[in-house]
Amino acid sequence: MTSLRTPVPADLESQADLTAEIKQLQAETRPGDAQPRLDWPPYRSSLLRHPTKTLRYADPEGAELVAPVFGQTDIGELESDLTVQPGGEPIGERIKVTGRVLDGDGRPVRGQLVEIWQANASGRYIHQRDQHPAPIDPNFTGVGRCLTDDDGWYSFTSIKPGPYPWRNHRNAWRPAHIHFSLFGTEFTQRLITQMYFPGDQLFALDPILQSITDQRARDRLVATCEHELSEHEWLLGYRWDIVLTGTHATYLEPGDE
Amino acid sequence: MSELGVTPGQTIGPFFHYAMPMPDDRVLVPLDSPGSVRLHGHVYDGGGNVVPDAMLEIRQCDASGVVPRVEGSLRRDGSSFTGWGRSGTDSEGHYWFSTVEPGPTHPGAAPFFAVTVFARGLLDRLFTRIYLPADPEVLAADPLLATLDAELRRRMIAVRDDDGSLRFDLHLQGDQESVFLAYPRHVG
């Protein structure tokens, strides 16, 4: 099976050098930043793809104050269970991932669309561009959708995704993750992010997760394994809550009160 | 007001194409239907290269200036106007939407498409607006455009193609870098 392995390009930076670069940049960044740094050289693909100018403040108006509306007509009944496939059960650890979507003031986001996509148990996406020589699972596509309920809860049944290699640097591995796409009640709250699994030794090596330079903010992307959510002889349960930015509809400028 | 810890964003990555696009997600109104317009353009990086793995979403008013609160953007019924669409870029970095031109939300307002941008290599989403090419006085009176110099203002306004389409190129970086926005509640 050695034919599946590609030779290691000699010019790629080592993980040790990249990790040192990450640590140095994080030391130079002010603590408390909740968002990833867009200008973040350790993630090589970002070099030419981040704006260099300061973002301009805009007072949201019109369409910006209203999120798109989704409903039952937008999703299929079985789309929240990624293990239900016509050909049979996928391979891997069966899991449930559930939590609440809240806005920045703690209010549940009701009836809103949550979309996810992920690699299979061996770390392979069903995507033309994924050349990782790990097996494709014919019974797993790794795409899910659901609507939050009246208390903001979402829930997916899936398979725990595997970590996978990429070409950012030599011997680079992404920690296992699930991509999440979220909407709030305003267009300004749009969020796409990644959920990680607790205890992954790859966290410190990953330039994408480490682009969030504040440890507490990074921790918000890591689910917790909760025994109460696990189901007897069936699956392991993970809890992950999502907090979007605040809405503007009732927002008072500091000092207005 | 105390803020909860906001969940950070992460890049959309390289593998969203099999998950996020839906049939007709970019077709807010049927192609070439009466009143329809094609909004399109290319996404470029700081080296002037096209970005073939970006995704744009737009949110907009209808032609009368009302923001629709109508479901059905992912599975369209072909007649409801939902005011939301999603378009990935193709191998040439090109995106397009079939939609209507948004009307002013109040008399004298400069109509725009609200836009979110995602891409592999972009660690968090970006927001911008695409203004309709309108009366210069209307554009000059817009609260956001009024704060920009003429060059930056130009970069936020779509160009009318000869065939009536609206063209808007997006530059993530570089000499022509687009104007990207933050909103007041984005600061924790």
Side-chain angles (χ1 to χ4, degrees):
Chain A
M1 294 299 282
T2 51
S3 62
L4 288 175
R5 302 186 59 159
T6 48
V8 182
D11 56 343
L12 285 182
E13 190 177 23
S14 71
Q15 178 71 58
D17 286 350
L18 191 95
T19 303
E21 187 184 337
I22 288 172
K23 285 198 185 327
Q24 185 181 346
L25 283 167
Q26 287 182 340
E28 292 167 1
T29 306
R30 73 185 168 95
D33 262 355
Q35 297 298 336
R37 270 182 58 170
L38 302 183
D39 177 5
W40 184 249
Y43 177 29
R44 303 305 185 212
S45 304
S46 75
L47 289 173
L48 293 172
R49 293 186 172 194
H50 67 85
T52 58
K53 308 290 188 297
T54 310
L55 302 180
R56 296 269 172 170
Y57 269 96
D59 280 323
E61 54 176 296
E64 289 166 328
L65 291 169
V66 187
V69 173
F70 299 96
Q72 293 298 340
T73 60
D74 285 298
I75 55 169
E77 201 178 324
L78 297 174
E79 284 188 321
S80 66
D81 188 342
L82 289 73
T83 66
V84 175
Q85 302 275 329
E89 287 265 328
I91 299 287
E93 296 173 44
R94 191 183 295 110
I95 60 172
K96 176 161 74 179
V97 178
T98 185
R100 295 177 79 199
V101 183
L102 304 171
D103 73 14
D105 301 307
R107 289 178 294 232
V109 176
R110 301 187 170 98
Q112 190 51 291
L113 178 69
V114 181
E115 298 166 279
I116 65 170
W117 67 104
Q118 63 166 92
N120 70 20
S122 64
R124 180 84 184 256
Y125 286 88
I126 296 201
H127 189 289
Q128 258 182 312
R129 274 187 60 165
D130 189 354
Q131 300 298 312
H132 175 33
I136 284 174
D137 186 336
N139 297 324
F140 192 71
T141 50
V143 178
R145 289 183 194 85
C146 76
L147 297 177
T148 56
D149 71 12
D150 281 349
D151 292 316
W153 285 91
Y154 71 87
S155 182
F156 291 102
T157 301
S158 189
I159 291 296
K160 190 176 180 189
Y164 59 82
W166 59 313
R167 293 172 180 168
N168 189 68
H169 53 283
R170 197 189 316 152
N171 203 9
W173 290 81
R174 295 292 335 276
H177 60 273
I178 299 177
H179 295 268
F180 269 75
S181 161
L182 302 137
F183 297 84
T185 54
E186 271 185 19
F187 184 77
T188 64
Q189 295 173 288
R190 185 77 175 95
L191 176 69
I192 286 184
T193 189
Q194 302 179 24
M195 185 213 89
Y196 299 89
F197 292 86
D200 195 322
Q201 298 304 306
L202 294 170
F203 288 163
L205 310 183
D206 180 35
I208 291 182
L209 177 57
Q210 296 297 326
S211 68
I212 303 157
T213 56
D214 185 89
Q215 177 72 53
R216 286 180 312 163
R218 284 198 296 276
D219 291 346
R220 292 181 204 134
L221 294 184
V222 182
T224 53
C225 191
E226 294 203 1
H227 188 251
E228 299 73 40
L229 295 172
S230 298
E231 296 175 17
H232 181 72
E233 292 192 6
W234 188 242
L235 56 72
L236 280 174
Y238 289 88
R239 169 86 183 258
W240 187 54
D241 291 346
I242 297 141
V243 180
L244 305 175
T245 55
T247 60
H248 298 79
T250 56
Y251 178 61
L252 296 170
E253 289 289 337
D256 278 359
E257 288 172 309
Chain B
M1 187 186 307
S2 70
E3 296 268 353
L4 296 173
V6 172
T7 306
Q10 292 270 265
T11 181
I12 193 170
F15 299 129
F16 61 87
H17 299 88
Y18 79 97
M20 300 296 278
M22 294 289 283
D24 290 342
D25 53 3
R26 62 186 65 190
V27 183
L28 287 76
V29 300
L31 273 65
D32 302 321
S33 56
S36 69
V37 68
R38 183 164 171 267
L39 169 67
H40 75 114
H42 289 84
V43 180
Y44 295 98
D45 72 12
N49 313 295
V50 298
V51 178
D53 38 21
M55 187 178 89
L56 272 70
E57 291 176 350
I58 58 168
R59 182 77 172 127
Q60 65 167 104
C61 304
D62 64 18
S64 64
V66 174
V67 190
R69 298 170 191 254
V70 176
E71 66 184 66
S73 294
L74 289 185
R75 287 185 167 79
R76 297 206 188 270
D77 64 12
S79 58
S80 304
F81 181 71
T82 64
W84 183 85
R86 171 184 284 168
S87 170
T89 53
D90 63 18
S91 58
E92 306 300 318
H94 189 248
Y95 73 90
W96 63 267
F97 296 93
S98 172
T99 186
V100 298
E101 295 187 14
T105 49
H106 56 270
F112 61 83
F113 300 94
V115 181
T116 331
V117 186
F118 308 90
R120 179 180 71 85
L122 179 61
L123 278 157
D124 200 4
R125 80 278 181 274
L126 293 170
F127 291 98
T128 189
R129 294 176 180 175
I130 302 175
Y131 283 87
L132 296 183
D135 184 335
E137 281 185 27
V138 170
L139 291 168
D142 178 81
L144 173 64
L145 294 180
T147 67
L148 305 178
D149 65 30
E151 169 59 20
L152 291 182
R153 193 181 301 175
R154 181 192 64 75
R155 291 184 202 169
M156 297 202 78
I157 303 168
V159 174
R160 182 76 65 184
D161 286 337
D162 290 342
D163 68 359
S165 297
L166 293 168
R167 190 177 78 251
F168 185 86
D169 290 337
L170 197 102
H171 296 262
L172 295 175
Q173 198 186 84
D175 293 346
Q176 296 295 310
E177 186 172 306
S178 301
V179 177
F180 296 107
L181 305 177
Y183 302 102
R185 297 296 304 278
H186 284 181
V187 176

